[in-house]
Amino acid sequence: MILPWTDHPGEFLVFRTAARRRALVLALAVLGTTSLAACTAGSGQDGNRPGTRAVADPATRPDLRRFYGQKLDWRPCGDFRCATLTVPRDYDRPGDGKTFALPVAKAATAVPGKRLGSLVLNPGGPGESGVRLLEDGVADDIGKGVRARFDIVSFDPRGVGGSRPALTCLTDDRTEDEAHEAPLYPRTDAERADVLADARATAAACRRASGPLLPHVGTNDAARDMDVLRAALGERRLTYVGWSYGTSLGTSYAEQFPRRVRAMVLDGAVDPSLDWRQRVLNQSTGFRDAVEEYADSCADVAGEACPGTTPGEIRALVDRLLDRTRREPLPVDGSEEGLDAAGLVSALSLSMYTPEAQWEGLSEALRAADGGDGTKLAALAAGDEETPDTDADADTGPAASEGPAGDVPEDNGDAALMAVDCLDVPHPRGAQAYWDALAPADEAAGVYGTSGVTGELVCEDWPASARRPHRVHAPGVPPVLVVGTTGDPATPYQEAVSLARQFPGGMLLSFEAPGHTGYGRDACVDEKVEEYLVSLTKVRPGTRCAP
């Protein structure tokens, strides 16, 4: 079964346009990456400040009562029901009149008499639309036993998709179509100056277009919005599934509102204790290893489509194309720029999310590129590959009805990804720290590591927040289920192991497979997750699933 959040893996690598844009976003693929040095741990008891503190019941605050007391005005929208949730832009000043209006969608699937409540989903990103998640059919892919007991609900987080206001990094003098070649490993002063100038120009464009919003789109605030949503749904406690970045959102909720959690599934986990360089290293190593696994296992997954008869032949082809695209871009139909090395790395990385759906297409694209045609690889790098349940119908249904207006593109995932990642994890001021990280990243993960580091430069001069790398501090939270896929490139398995250990009573469900996330891809994983969601059945230590 192929689910929307894995068909459209823009959660970490939203490369839809220029080569330089792809290079900038490639490292942000790391969710606000981190120091090849030791991380900052904090539990409140060891002298370090946690990044998120439990919040006293905000519903009792007079200045928040109007938000917590709102009732959702559901109306039909296609096959769903839609409503708008109003939340304060700044929770420290909720009475200043500035708000976000967040679109919410619901599939009313619960059977009368059996209903347990609402199941809230987040598809990841940061920057993915929860409303579109439902539009793409996720409710139909949730198990019947869960749908019978829960209405399926999702929403567009603040600044994302149909949020009012919404983020954009486009201005009249800087468009997404600007492109020029981006070195995967800038070594000379001239190359580094060029990469730094482009990163700073991108950040400046975001400030010009969305400056007032940038300090207010972080994960801690989005988690507070989710508590307002819980109250508006009439739920005493939250039942939640978050994939990928959605695990960061869920973790923040659990830390701020530990006793408001009923059940929480965090699939494709992000470890909050890692700093920016550690996250870059973890994820870039994950993608390098995933491409190696593609070479080793291509025949088992893609069969005769494989672009080589042995793993060695496939590796040699990838290396040959990297060398070739470094020297000169491959021709691409309808493009003057062609496909450069950054585009090739993007295509390879994006094709590692769901091997069962993507490796055959990647194999055909690599074979065509070896013959001199980069068109298919360019489509993969842009996220345009055709797979079931893609965004082909994105202009219809509830997502479109709640879509951004004015100068904000309908899909503003790039802007949201940058804004949230840069705000959530502290980044160094000054470029030298990034240049210092290049050699260790190259040694650890090659081009995946160096492009990851340079992508983080856009965060060099971003609004600061109080959030810091920290270990989870959520006393009183019930057992949280963490799902980790052993070959996950985007959210490496060791982060799931770590996150499960950080939660009091945390449970780890291991999925022994390549690809990103597990729930929705395997019957064994689905069964364990759904038994937990419905009956709060605990997963025993050491439980593993394999396809």
Side-chain angles (χ1 to χ4, degrees):
M1 159 171 62
I2 308 301
L3 296 182
W5 61 87
T6 49
D7 281 348
H8 184 60
E11 317 170 27
F12 289 81
L13 297 160
V14 187
F15 312 113
R16 296 200 176 95
T17 52
R20 179 56 61 87
R21 288 284 297 156
R22 289 195 299 269
L24 282 173
V25 178
L26 178 55
L28 287 171
V30 186
L31 257 184
T33 45
T34 50
S35 219
L36 300 175
C39 62
T40 301
S43 68
Q45 296 177 348
D46 59 4
N48 292 317
R49 292 169 47 195
T52 309
R53 292 185 180 277
V55 177
D57 188 352
T60 63
R61 281 178 47 180
D63 54 357
L64 289 176
R65 282 177 185 163
R66 74 180 184 95
F67 298 103
Y68 271 88
Q70 67 188 296
K71 303 297 181 184
L72 294 173
D73 181 16
W74 297 107
R75 61 194 182 283
C77 56
D79 295 331
F80 309 102
R81 298 177 185 177
C82 293
T84 299
L85 181 76
T86 302
V87 295
R89 188 178 302 185
D90 185 344
Y91 276 94
D92 289 334
R93 288 180 286 275
D96 65 2
K98 297 177 180 179
T99 63
F100 283 102
L102 309 180
V104 183
K106 174 175 70 173
T109 58
V111 175
K114 293 186 176 182
R115 185 181 186 276
L116 289 174
S118 300
L119 171 61
V120 177
L121 310 178
N122 180 272
E128 291 299 303
S129 164
V131 170
R132 182 164 294 165
L133 178 73
L134 291 193
E135 176 189 306
D136 284 343
V138 69
D140 295 333
D141 290 315
I142 300 291
K144 291 182 180 179
V146 173
R147 284 182 285 149
R149 308 302 295 274
F150 295 94
D151 294 326
I152 312 300
V153 175
S154 196
F155 67 104
D156 287 1
R158 53 175 54 211
V160 172
S163 163
R164 297 286 194 281
L167 289 160
T168 179
C169 288
L170 303 183
T171 61
D172 292 340
D173 59 344
R174 182 175 179 83
T175 70
E176 281 192 352
D177 293 326
E178 293 176 337
H180 47 85
E181 188 174 353
L184 294 173
Y185 188 164
R187 299 174 185 270
T188 68
D189 289 344
E191 286 177 335
R192 292 181 177 184
D194 185 47
V195 169
L196 180 60
D198 199 85
R200 287 176 172 173
T202 298
C206 291
R207 287 194 296 270
R208 288 194 298 271
S210 300
L213 302 184
L214 296 182
H216 303 296
V217 294
T219 298
N220 287 351
D221 283 335
R224 298 190 71 171
D225 296 342
M226 200 154 61
D227 196 54
V228 176
L229 174 61
R230 173 203 58 76
L233 290 169
E235 306 295 348
R236 188 173 66 87
R237 293 190 296 165
L238 178 72
T239 303
Y240 174 79
V241 174
W243 291 269
S244 204
Y245 164 76
T247 68
S248 287
L249 185 61
T251 297
S252 178
Y253 184 91
E255 290 184 300
Q256 295 184 82
F257 308 100
R259 300 185 186 280
R260 293 269 178 81
V261 175
R262 175 189 170 272
M264 181 170 284
V265 177
L266 306 179
D267 184 4
V270 177
D271 183 349
S273 73
L274 302 181
D275 67 19
W276 76 271
R277 285 176 66 180
Q278 288 168 316
R279 294 193 185 190
V280 166
L281 185 63
N282 272 9
Q283 193 184 60
S284 56
T285 302
F287 279 108
R288 181 208 60 191
D289 292 347
V291 175
E292 291 291 309
E293 177 65 20
Y294 162 71
D296 288 336
S297 305
C298 181
D300 295 333
V301 177
E304 295 182 357
C306 290
T309 58
T310 67
E313 287 184 6
I314 296 174
R315 290 189 179 94
L317 170 57
V318 171
D319 290 342
R320 188 163 63 244
L321 288 174
L322 277 170
D323 289 340
R324 183 174 178 177
T325 52
R326 280 190 180 107
R327 295 192 303 269
E328 183 179 3
L330 287 172
V332 172
D333 290 347
S335 169
E336 295 182 1
E337 291 81 16
L339 180 86
D340 65 6
L344 174 59
V345 171
S346 296
L348 289 166
S349 300
L350 281 167
S351 298
M352 296 300 111
Y353 281 76
T354 47
E356 62 271 27
Q358 296 177 294
W359 280 7
E360 184 174 346
L362 172 64
S363 298
E364 294 171 352
L366 288 172
R367 191 183 297 275
D370 199 34
D373 184 358
T375 303
K376 289 184 176 181
L377 279 177
L380 296 179
D384 293 338
E385 71 272 25
E386 293 184 6
T387 53
D389 297 320
T390 62
D391 291 339
D393 298 323
D395 60 345
T396 62
S401 67
E402 296 286 358
D407 296 329
V408 179
E410 182 178 344
D411 182 353
N412 67 339
D414 284 4
L417 185 147
M418 284 189 290
V420 177
D421 284 350
C422 291
L423 189 65
D424 271 3
V425 178
H427 283 71
R429 304 292 186 185
Q432 190 58 47
Y434 302 87
W435 309 144
D436 291 343
L438 282 170
D442 179 52
E443 182 178 357
V447 295
Y448 305 95
T450 56
S451 56
V453 169
T454 57
E456 295 296 312
L457 277 166
V458 74
C459 300
E460 178 223 11
D461 186 25
W462 207 265
S465 77
R467 189 176 169 97
R468 294 291 182 270
H470 64 283
R471 294 185 63 80
V472 172
H473 184 67
V477 72
V480 169
L481 176 58
V482 179
V483 181
T485 301
T486 57
D488 195 325
T491 51
Y493 175 69
Q494 64 265 30
E495 296 196 31
V497 174
S498 176
L499 184 64
R501 289 172 177 167
Q502 291 176 45
F503 273 106
M507 302 174 292
L508 175 66
L509 172 61
S510 299
F511 178 39
E512 296 178 331
H516 183 42
T517 70
Y519 180 42
R521 295 179 57 209
D522 179 77
C524 170
V525 174
D526 294 354
E527 179 183 9
K528 301 296 184 185
V529 167
E530 293 177 356
E531 286 179 350
Y532 165 72
L533 289 172
V534 172
S535 304
L536 303 180
T537 303
K538 292 184 178 181
V539 172
R540 293 181 178 179
T543 300
R544 306 181 80 85
C545 292

